[in-house]
Amino acid sequence: MFKFDWKRLSVAAGLSLTLVAAGCGSSDEGSEGTSGDSNEGGESTSEEVNYGEEMNYEITGIEAGAGVVKAAQSAVKEYENLAGWEVSTSSSGAMATALGQAVENEEPIIVTGWTPHWKFAKYDLKYLEDPKEVFGGEEQIKTMVRKGLKEEKPNAYKILDQFNWTAADMEEVMLEINDGAEPAEAAKNWIENNQEAVSSWTEGTEKVDGTEVELVFVNWDSEIASTNVVAEVMKQQGFNVTITPLDNGPMWESVSEGEVTGMVAAWLPATHGDLYEQHKDNLEDLGANLEGARVGLVVPKYMEVDSIEDLKPAE
Ligand code: PBE
């Protein structure tokens, strides 16, 4: 028995050594490539590394309607050193995949990023300094509901008004979803472990019997987490809740046109500032549900660049 186990162990150890060796090989290749490129231009000081060339002068964006993508497009116009750069658009999921692959190969990448987000727990990342403040400063995530909700569905209104949590709370839910949990499951687990917070949101309300509520959101990881938690709390209070993913513009429109109950996904003052200006007279602003949010350009810490101004224009 022992002999057999030893054999198995050594086979396993041999295998993992091979894997480690393979891993080292590929990451060595990656960094050799990087320093090789930078050496071509002379010394390999941080300023000499031309990351732009290695990235095809492309910032990896997310959905076209996201505020952070619009801000990145403005940054490309406002920073002279970003002449010739482009912001690619796809989805938050595609951005996360590209980021994961770049980190695995120790390759340079710049993504449109935001906090709270699980990527900061999973990878060593940093925001690039933004001396022109194109991405704004600290943000709040706010709750917006349709006009008339207070009179028509006072219990729904009150829960949405009282909903607020911390960035750490939101990250907990995001991480569980990123680890493979269904969003509704992760939401239920968080609620079970945070009964005190949840009862402060439902305080002063009565249970209902199937009152309909429709919440809209965008499929951003942060909003998947918050919307599922609020939906689950409302379900437990007897509401019949639907959650509908939309693009950013239509999310704001559907609330201001009174077609849906509301959303907990308004990033202000900067990220959704234009949409807020456009719709603020036709919806009700219930204030912040989370403080200390942020958006900007995010890179892995192994990149020797600290500021947007350190990047080089396309040649
Ligand atoms: N985000 C997440 C959104 C707001 C929430 C930063 C991707 C945006 O940029 O509009």
Side-chain angles (χ1 to χ4, degrees), residues 62 65-69 113-114 220 222-223 248 267 271-272 295:
I62 54 166
V68 70
V69 167
W114 66 100
W220 297 314
S222 37
E223 280 49 45
N248 196 15
W267 283 54
T271 307
H272 297 163
V295 309

Side-chain angles (χ1 to χ4, degrees), residues 32 79 125 212 219 244 252 255 260:
E32 265 166 33
Y79 285 91
L125 304 173
E212 296 209 350
N219 264 326
T244 308
W252 280 83
V255 180
V260 300

